[in-house]
């Protein structure tokens, strides 16, 4: 990966973490519970032995796996990026 792209991703990741911390602090200080967030990536069966990982925002397939556990692991990995 190009160094400028890598540094940009690191900066954006740091900003995303700070935003999530600030939001959690806001809800804690206000004394209300945080709303439950729906997962962005969903695992859906596709045929006999395949599972699609679907982006719920766009409806596009981001990947596929033959094993359900592998598909769920890939979806969790995509959620964290």
């Amino acid at each position: 990966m190009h160094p400028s792209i890598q540094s940009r991703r690191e900066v954006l990741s740091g900003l995303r973490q700070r935003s999530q911390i600030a939001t959690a602090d806001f809800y804690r200080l206000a004394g209300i519970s945080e709303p439950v967030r729906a997962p962005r990536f969903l695992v859906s069966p596709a045929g006999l032995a395949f599972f699609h990982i679907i982006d719920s925002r766009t409806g596009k397939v981001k990947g596929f796996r033959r094993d359900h556990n592998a598909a769920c692991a890939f979806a969790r990995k995509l959620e964290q990026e």
Side-chain angles (χ1 to χ4, degrees):
M1 184 180 303
H2 195 273
S4 66
I5 294 173
Q6 181 64 33
S7 65
R8 179 175 170 251
R9 288 183 72 179
E10 290 171 359
V11 167
L12 291 176
S13 175
L15 290 173
R16 185 177 307 114
Q17 288 176 353
R18 288 178 61 187
S19 172
Q20 291 171 346
I21 291 169
T23 301
D25 284 344
F26 167 77
Y27 281 112
R28 185 180 49 80
L29 291 173
I32 54 178
S33 61
E34 266 188 83
V36 177
R37 295 180 55 195
R40 178 173 176 187
F41 296 97
L42 306 172
V43 175
S44 173
L48 290 176
F50 287 99
F51 295 91
H52 284 170
I53 295 89
I54 301 171
D55 186 345
S56 63
R57 293 181 187 166
T58 62
K60 293 184 179 181
V61 175
K62 290 293 186 177
F64 65 92
R65 296 291 185 268
R66 294 195 77 157
D67 180 40
H68 183 263
N69 291 332
C72 289
F74 184 61
R76 281 191 293 274
K77 180 181 174 236
L78 290 173
E79 284 283 342
Q80 294 193 2
E81 289 182 357

